[in-house]
Amino acid sequence: QVQLEESGGGLVQTGNSHRLSCAASGDPSTLYHMAWFRQTPGQEREFVAAITWSAGGTYYADAVKGRFTISGSSVRRTVSLQMLSLKPEDTAVYYCAATNRRRIPALVRSRDTYNYWGQGTQVTVSS
């Protein structure tokens, strides 16, 4: 079993930067992919960014490409999300996700790929 814990949520002004972190505990060495998703009230949880430890690949949603960067430690299985130039539409609860199942790149954007989820952390971008 793996537990995920996010940290770093808060209130940020438009245009500013912010960083989220996620730490995996339990048996994180089995994890192949880790990702960030976000969700706003009444909306489905949407993909933000993902990282594949074995290949070192990173993947981004079009809405955040060029502004957000996912990175982390493949040994400790910690992952961060550096967010630049934040916009009010980035306001959401951000969830860390992970899976011990190896998937092709086309599937790392899918919620169904991930079998471990954190509790979420709120990021609010004020206009």
Side-chain angles (χ1 to χ4, degrees), residues 78-120:
T78 58
V79 65
S80 296
L81 186 68
Q82 179 67 47
M83 304 181 289
L84 305 179
S85 302
L86 282 161
K87 306 174 183 180
E89 50 263 44
D90 295 317
T91 295
V93 177
Y94 283 73
Y95 294 90
C96 179
T99 181
N100 52 6
R101 299 175 291 198
R102 183 175 288 180
R103 290 290 184 264
I104 60 175
L107 294 179
V108 297
R109 292 175 171 84
S110 170
R111 291 191 307 271
D112 294 338
T113 287
Y114 300 91
N115 51 342
Y116 300 110
W117 292 87
Q119 293 298 307

Side-chain angles (χ1 to χ4, degrees), residues 19 34-35 41 44 51 60 63 70 83 105 109:
R19 187 179 185 90
M34 293 185 74
E44 292 189 352
I51 188 165
Y60 296 95
I70 187 170
M83 304 181 289
R109 292 175 171 84

Side-chain angles (χ1 to χ4, degrees), residues 14-89:
T14 296
N16 283 4
S17 303
H18 201 67
R19 187 179 185 90
L20 302 179
S21 296
C22 174
S25 59
D27 190 13
S29 64
T30 63
L31 299 176
Y32 280 112
H33 312 284
M34 293 185 74
W36 289 95
F37 285 75
R38 65 187 183 186
Q39 189 172 23
T40 55
Q43 301 297 316
E44 292 189 352
R45 194 170 298 186
E46 66 174 5
F47 171 77
V48 175
I51 188 165
T52 297
W53 296 121
S54 58
T58 56
Y59 311 85
Y60 296 95
D62 289 343
V64 305
K65 195 173 296 183
R67 298 190 299 122
F68 290 13
T69 301
I70 187 170
S71 62
S73 166
S74 61
V75 175
R76 295 166 56 190
R77 294 303 196 265
T78 58
V79 65
S80 296
L81 186 68
Q82 179 67 47
M83 304 181 289
L84 305 179
S85 302
L86 282 161
K87 306 174 183 180
E89 50 263 44

